[in-house]
Amino acid sequence: MGSLPSIKEQFLAKRENKFFIAGVEASQFPGLEQHPEIFGQAGDLTYLNLSHAQFQGGIPHNLGNLSKLQYLDLGGNYLKPKSLQWVSGLSFLQYLDLSYADLRKATDWLLVTFQHPSLLELHLSTCSLEDDPSPINVNSTKSLVVLDLSENNFSSVPMSIFGLQGLLSIDLSSNSLEGPIPDYFRNISFLEVLDLSGNSLNSSTPNSLFSLNHLQFLNLSSNEIDQDVSEILLSLSRCCLDCLESLDMAHNHLFGHLIDQLGHFKNLAHLSLAGNNISGPIPLSIGELSSLKFFDVSENQLNGTFPQCFGQLKSLETLDLGCNQLEGVVSETHFSNLTRLTTLAASQNRLRFQPNSSWILPFQCQIIKLGQWHLGPKFPRWLKFQKNLSVLDMSNAGISDILPTWFLNLSTQFEYLNLSYNQLTGGISHLNVREFVDLRSNRFTGPLPRVFPTLKFLMWSNNSFSGPLFELVCNPLRKGPMECLSIKGNLLSGEIPDCWNHWRVLVYLNLENNNFTGKIPPSLGHLNLSVLNLRNNDMFGELPSTLQLSTSLIILDLSDNHFSGSVPTWIGDKLSKLEILSLRSNSFDGHIPQKICQLQSLRILDLGNNNISGSIPKCFSNLSAMANKSNQNSYMFQWSITLTNLFCMRTLLVLKGRVDEYSTTLGLVTSMCLSTNRLIGEIPKELGSLVELQSLNLSRNLLIGNIPDEIGNMELESLDLSMNQLNGEIPSSFSNLNFLNHFNVSYNNLTGQIPTSTQLQSFGNFSYMGNHLYGPPLTKNRSTNRTPTDVANNGSRSEGSNVNWLYVSIVLGFVMGFSGVVAPLFYIRSWRHAYYRKLDHIGRKLYMSWATMGR
């Protein structure tokens, strides 16, 4: 029979119970818009809530017959103005919610609604309202008391609202308001609630705002107000000292100190000044705010101690002092009367808390964040009695202890657990965490713990976990939305299992610095990864073709393994979002594929230390991210802003002649390294168009010809062309390289005078030796130290070379003896990079000795 009889029966039944008069909730009656005749039987209805009813064919026209309606909620239905004309005829209407209706061209209708004689409360949130070129003139009316215009598109406060002199509450949050706060708010003298948060209001708060002596709730957060906070507090104390209950000015540009008058707001229950530049100590008068429930001054520059007066705030529920410069000792007295506290957040301060071992917290917290406090060396026993914890951060807290069994067996289920950067030891059998766990940089051992199938972020890097990945990755219960998996720097071994198909939402996978062997499993290519880092393992084989399906990859780091074969052409053809590609220190051969030039977003390319041959592609000039200022528009720059605080995004780059690790600045680095291969031919002049490139390393190849003049037009900070077969002079354009802090052209066949510039003369002889160069900074008039051609050609000796074999035997003896000590370093992977720079320095000295003996 369909749904009509059942819906009618539900309505009629509830009418018999007089439910019509009490109210109707649309969620109880799906399909309501298909049966408008129902409302013809509800003439006495005073309360009607049809919010989020998902009307498909418009509002039932019979609603206009509900003449006694006082409360009408149509929010969340995406209505059009034409279907709302009847609303203005509801003469008894007091409450109206039309949130999410499309009212961008409904100026006349709004005028009538604003002046509705009985309407008290009007909600027009997210209605696409915009500035009207001909502002609405509203006659003075005292009927409307609550007006919600939040989340619209106003760039200035509509002048029409200043005629609504009876307003008690105005919400203009999350619009696009610009410029100073208008003076006209003083016309609404009875205003109690003003919310202008989430806009771009600047300058300082006007004096007219502080004439509102009935103000109870003031929210100016997330704007650009630039003012001394003490001026604001003093002005508020003159107008609304006894009535102000909530003040939120978080995330502005406030400066100055908190003043003692802050403690005089006796009814203040909510105070948020987070994310400003407020400095100085927290005033002791804070202890006088007996009504205070919420106090947040995080992300400022407050210094001094953690005042004991906080212990007097018996009503306090949320205390957030995080990211300041507080220091000193915190005792049990600070928390003695805080029996209602549910959130204690004070991470990133220099505070010490070591209560008596038998002390029990007087409150049951849901959130405790004490990262960078000194809580150790023992694991805090006072946590044992916390039964409601969902968020715990004790990172970098100086704890050197075994993770106690009682902690793992707490009855609470954590949503967020961060114990990173301590010296915690022992094994972990399981973790009772639902969403986020960070155990980085401890000394945990044993197999990987069992985890909840709902876990989203898992970071266990830099521990001593051992064993295979199989149980974690291939667990059939693993159905949850894991987004980040970082287990780098452990002792994990075996092959990476090929069962990633159910990790569909994983975006970040970092398994670097382990002992994994085998090939890359094909199922990894079926994920929607943004970051894949397998650096520094013992993996081998060719790259699986399924990786070309990972079209969202931004970072691909497979360096320091034993991968072989040619560099796949599909990297350039399919991975169009790639910004960092590092295949360094593998066994790749063949030529650099021309398709690499299609990677318009590529900013870091490292193919160094392989067996790649052929010439450098001229089409590298098409790598537009290295040629244009595009960092702010890059995928990784936008992506890392969101995720960097969750998991440190790092990559190793060979810049300035050494291995460096970049994390927070990774989104700003541009680099190309093709060193230690078998590249031949000339350096393409087209590289000179990559003007945004910061580091270029072509050293240790077989490149010939002159150095292109165009290189001097770049803005390089590091340039290494050493140990090739380049000839001619150093281009005079190199005098324009004003940002260089690393430069090396040693061991080529260069001739002539070194160009004069501030930068080129700042480097030592080491940067120029092994050539026929002269002039400052060389100590001799002309340098004749040159790497012989036979050294460049794999050390084969040419006939007629006069070698002093006594010196050669001395050098070889030294090399053999030295290698007996150093050789083990090559087999202990964790030491390898630490000695990289030193070995490179020794190698260059040996080249110099050999070159001298060759003469």
Side-chain angles (χ1 to χ4, degrees):
M1 296 290 294
S3 61
L4 180 58
S6 61
I7 289 179
K8 277 187 175 181
E9 289 170 5
Q10 291 181 58
F11 264 78
L12 292 173
K14 293 187 181 299
R15 188 184 183 191
E16 291 173 358
N17 295 327
K18 299 184 178 180
F19 186 76
F20 265 122
I21 299 175
V24 174
E25 296 286 343
S27 59
Q28 302 177 33
F29 307 101
L32 194 61
E33 76 282 357
Q34 300 176 18
H35 310 289
E37 69 276 12
I38 294 173
F39 293 102
Q41 309 172 38
D44 294 332
L45 197 66
T46 60
Y47 176 102
L48 183 60
N49 185 344
L50 299 178
S51 61
H52 302 283
Q54 299 180 350
F55 289 115
Q56 301 298 323
I59 293 289
H61 61 84
N62 286 15
L63 283 180
N65 297 329
L66 304 179
S67 58
K68 296 184 179 180
L69 267 184
Q70 298 177 23
Y71 182 105
L72 176 60
D73 188 346
L74 300 175
N77 285 302
Y78 305 97
L79 304 173
K80 299 292 184 181
K82 289 184 179 180
S83 63
L84 297 171
Q85 299 298 327
W86 53 271
V87 172
S88 57
L90 300 175
S91 56
F92 294 100
L93 195 63
Q94 298 180 20
Y95 179 102
L96 176 61
D97 190 338
L98 298 176
S99 300
Y100 291 93
D102 185 357
L103 302 179
R104 71 189 74 191
K105 296 180 180 179
T107 302
D108 294 337
W109 182 86
L110 282 176
L111 174 60
V112 175
T113 305
F114 277 0
Q115 299 183 118
H116 193 289
S118 63
L119 193 63
L120 299 177
E121 189 164 341
L122 176 62
H123 293 267
L124 301 176
S125 176
T126 320
C127 290
S128 303
L129 296 170
E130 301 173 342
D131 297 325
D132 186 14
S134 55
I136 305 172
N137 293 317
V138 178
N139 295 328
S140 177
T141 175
K142 295 186 177 181
S143 60
L144 198 63
V145 295
V146 175
L147 178 60
D148 179 3
L149 299 176
S150 62
E151 298 187 52
N152 283 288
N153 302 318
F154 294 116
S155 62
S156 60
V157 179
M159 294 297 294
S160 53
I161 70 172
F162 297 121
L164 304 172
Q165 296 181 9
L167 280 176
L168 300 181
S169 174
I170 300 175
D171 188 348
L172 282 163
S173 63
S174 301
N175 277 274
S176 302
L177 303 179
E178 300 174 336
I181 299 172
D183 282 330
Y184 300 109
F185 280 108
R186 62 188 172 192
N187 296 342
I188 313 174
S189 57
F190 294 100
L191 199 62
E192 296 177 358
V193 177
L194 178 59
D195 191 344
L196 300 176
S197 62
N199 287 287
S200 299
L201 297 167
N202 54 30
S203 187
S204 57
T205 51
N207 291 331
S208 58
L209 198 63
F210 303 122
S211 64
L212 302 175
N213 52 17
H214 297 280
L215 203 59
Q216 297 178 22
F217 300 87
L218 176 61
N219 191 344
L220 302 177
S221 64
S222 300
N223 279 285
E224 299 171 11
I225 298 171
D226 189 355
Q227 190 174 0
D228 191 323
V229 67
S230 62
E231 294 179 4
I232 296 172
L233 294 175
L234 281 173
S235 298
L236 286 172
S237 68
R238 297 188 189 106
C239 73
C240 43
L241 186 64
D242 296 326
C243 58
L244 191 66
E245 297 179 21
S246 177
L247 174 62
D248 192 340
M249 298 196 68
H251 304 293
N252 279 281
H253 304 305
L254 304 183
F255 55 90
H257 296 179
L258 299 178
I259 55 176
D260 286 334
Q261 282 84 345
L262 183 57
H264 298 166
F265 291 88
K266 301 302 182 184
N267 292 312
L268 191 64
H270 180 110
L271 176 62
S272 179
L273 299 172
N276 285 287
N277 298 309
I278 302 170
S279 58
I282 298 174
L284 299 181
S285 61
I286 287 290
E288 301 173 19
L289 297 176
S290 56
S291 301
L292 196 63
K293 296 180 179 180
F294 184 99
F295 183 76
D296 185 356
V297 290
S298 60
E299 299 179 48
N300 279 285
Q301 300 174 27
L302 296 169
N303 53 34
T305 62
F306 186 151
Q308 283 194 0
C309 59
F310 276 109
Q312 304 170 24
L313 302 177
K314 297 181 180 180
S315 300
L316 196 63
E317 298 173 1
T318 295
L319 174 60
D320 195 340
L321 306 174
C323 301
N324 280 286
Q325 301 168 21
L326 302 176
E327 55 187 1
V329 177
V330 178
S331 66
E332 295 96 323
T333 308
H334 288 80
F335 306 112
S336 56
N337 294 311
L338 303 184
T339 56
R340 299 183 182 180
L341 198 66
T342 59
T343 297
L344 172 59
S347 295
Q348 299 187 47
N349 285 285
R350 297 187 293 271
L351 295 166
R352 176 184 293 268
F353 182 46
Q354 294 175 313
N356 190 289
S357 59
S358 60
W359 181 68
I360 298 176
L361 287 173
F363 47 81
Q364 289 291 325
C365 262
Q366 297 174 7
I367 298 173
I368 294 179
K369 295 183 178 181
L370 302 179
Q372 297 188 25
W373 282 40
H374 187 86
L375 303 174
K378 295 295 184 180
F379 195 88
R381 288 184 56 83
W382 45 265
L383 285 172
K384 191 172 184 177
F385 306 99
Q386 291 293 299
K387 300 178 181 179
N388 301 324
L389 268 181
S390 62
V391 174
L392 176 62
D393 180 359
M394 295 196 305
S395 58
N396 197 12
I399 303 173
S400 301
D401 199 1
I402 297 176
L403 189 65
T405 304
W406 60 258
F407 180 77
L408 297 175
N409 295 328
L410 284 176
S411 59
T412 183
Q413 276 195 354
F414 290 105
E415 291 184 7
Y416 175 105
L417 175 64
N418 188 348
L419 301 176
S420 62
Y421 296 98
N422 285 289
Q423 295 294 317
L424 290 166
T425 61
I428 304 176
S429 59
H430 65 282
L431 283 171
N432 199 13
V433 185
R434 286 179 291 182
E435 292 194 9
F436 183 110
V437 59
D438 188 351
L439 303 179
R440 287 175 296 167
S441 299
N442 280 285
R443 295 188 293 170
F444 292 118
T445 57
L448 295 175
R450 298 191 308 275
V451 297
F452 253 69
T454 59
L455 201 61
K456 294 181 180 180
F457 297 91
L458 188 156
M459 286 162 285
W460 292 340
S461 301
N462 302 324
N463 280 282
S464 296
F465 288 118
S466 58
L469 265 182
F470 184 85
E471 184 175 350
L472 174 67
V473 176
C474 303
N475 189 334
L477 298 177
R478 173 74 255 173
K479 304 294 184 183
M482 181 79 77
E483 299 178 25
C484 164
L485 176 60
S486 179
I487 323 180
K488 72 171 188 174
N490 281 281
L491 303 174
L492 301 175
S493 57
E495 295 187 0
I496 298 176
D498 191 16
C499 48
W500 295 88
N501 291 324
H502 56 283
W503 293 63
R504 290 297 185 180
V505 298
L506 190 68
V507 295
Y508 181 96
L509 177 60
N510 191 340
L511 302 176
E512 68 170 293
N513 286 328
N514 280 285
N515 297 315
F516 291 118
T517 60
K519 299 180 179 181
I520 297 176
S523 60
L524 270 183
H526 296 288
L527 305 181
N528 195 33
L529 290 172
S530 294
V531 175
L532 174 59
N533 190 342
L534 303 177
R535 186 183 69 82
N536 202 18
N537 282 284
D538 286 320
M539 302 182 70
F540 55 82
E542 297 186 1
L543 304 188
S545 60
T546 55
L547 273 184
Q548 66 185 299
L549 302 176
S550 300
T551 55
S552 296
L553 271 175
I554 299 172
I555 298 177
L556 177 60
D557 190 345
L558 305 177
S559 57
D560 290 289
N561 280 283
H562 307 291
F563 295 119
S564 57
S566 58
V567 177
T569 57
W570 49 256
I571 288 182
D573 201 28
K574 301 294 185 179
L575 308 184
S576 59
K577 294 183 179 181
L578 209 59
E579 301 195 20
I580 295 178
L581 174 61
S582 180
L583 305 179
R584 180 179 186 81
S585 297
N586 280 286
S587 299
F588 290 107
D589 52 26
H591 295 183
I592 300 174
Q594 298 282 321
K595 293 284 190 180
I596 292 289
C597 302
Q598 297 180 14
L599 297 175
Q600 299 294 303
S601 300
L602 193 67
R603 297 180 301 99
I604 295 175
L605 173 62
D606 193 345
L607 303 178
N609 199 17
N610 280 285
N611 297 313
I612 298 173
S613 56
S615 58
I616 299 173
K618 294 181 180 180
C619 64
F620 272 174
S621 58
N622 296 330
L623 299 174
S624 58
M626 298 182 182
N628 305 314
K629 294 183 184 251
S630 57
N631 291 332
Q632 295 293 325
N633 298 321
S634 72
Y635 300 108
M636 193 192 72
F637 187 87
Q638 298 170 4
W639 179 82
S640 64
I641 293 224
T642 305
L643 297 179
T644 288
N645 289 333
L646 298 181
F647 42 85
C648 293
M649 190 169 56
R650 291 183 169 90
T651 192
L652 283 176
L653 306 176
V654 179
L655 299 176
K656 306 174 187 177
R658 64 183 185 271
V659 177
D660 285 332
E661 189 174 83
Y662 287 75
S663 54
T664 55
T665 60
L666 189 55
L668 306 174
V669 177
T670 51
S671 168
M672 180 185 292
C673 180
L674 307 177
S675 68
T676 319
N677 280 288
R678 295 185 294 161
L679 297 172
I680 60 174
E682 298 185 353
I683 300 174
K685 65 179 181 180
E686 287 79 5
L687 288 184
S689 65
L690 305 180
V691 293
E692 289 300 310
L693 199 63
Q694 295 167 323
S695 175
L696 177 62
N697 190 346
L698 305 179
S699 65
R700 300 170 185 262
N701 280 288
L702 303 172
L703 301 172
I704 61 173
N706 295 336
I707 301 174
D709 288 341
E710 288 78 4
I711 301 292
N713 298 325
M714 303 170 74
E715 297 184 2
L716 292 168
E717 298 177 17
S718 175
L719 176 62
D720 195 339
L721 305 176
S722 63
M723 296 184 190
N724 281 285
Q725 299 171 23
L726 302 172
N727 53 38
E729 298 183 350
I730 298 176
S732 59
S733 62
F734 275 33
S735 298
N736 300 325
L737 296 174
N738 297 320
F739 301 102
L740 276 181
N741 51 49
H742 175 80
F743 179 68
N744 197 341
V745 292
S746 63
Y747 302 109
N748 281 285
N749 298 313
L750 300 174
T751 60
Q753 183 174 1
I754 299 171
T756 302
S757 77
T758 303
Q759 293 301 107
L760 293 180
Q761 272 64 52
S762 67
F763 303 106
N765 292 6
F766 184 77
S767 295
Y768 301 99
M769 63 176 55
N771 289 287
H772 289 289
L773 298 169
Y774 64 93
L778 296 180
T779 55
K780 297 181 179 180
N781 289 334
R782 188 180 297 270
S783 171
T784 57
N785 293 331
R786 180 173 62 86
T787 303
T789 304
D790 55 4
V791 174
N793 292 321
N794 298 320
S796 60
R797 183 172 60 87
S798 60
E799 289 186 2
S801 62
N802 296 319
V803 179
N804 189 326
W805 289 105
L806 173 62
Y807 290 113
V808 172
S809 63
I810 293 173
V811 171
L812 290 177
F814 173 78
V815 171
M816 293 298 293
F818 189 79
S819 63
V821 177
V822 175
L825 297 177
F826 291 93
Y827 300 98
I828 303 176
R829 185 175 296 103
S830 61
W831 295 2
R832 189 179 300 164
H833 289 296
Y835 283 88
Y836 188 96
R837 188 182 181 191
K838 185 64 177 177
L839 293 178
D840 184 62
H841 180 66
I842 292 171
R844 292 178 186 273
K845 283 194 171 183
L846 292 177
Y847 266 105
M848 181 180 66
S849 301
W850 201 315
T852 303
M853 292 184 292
R855 295 181 177 82

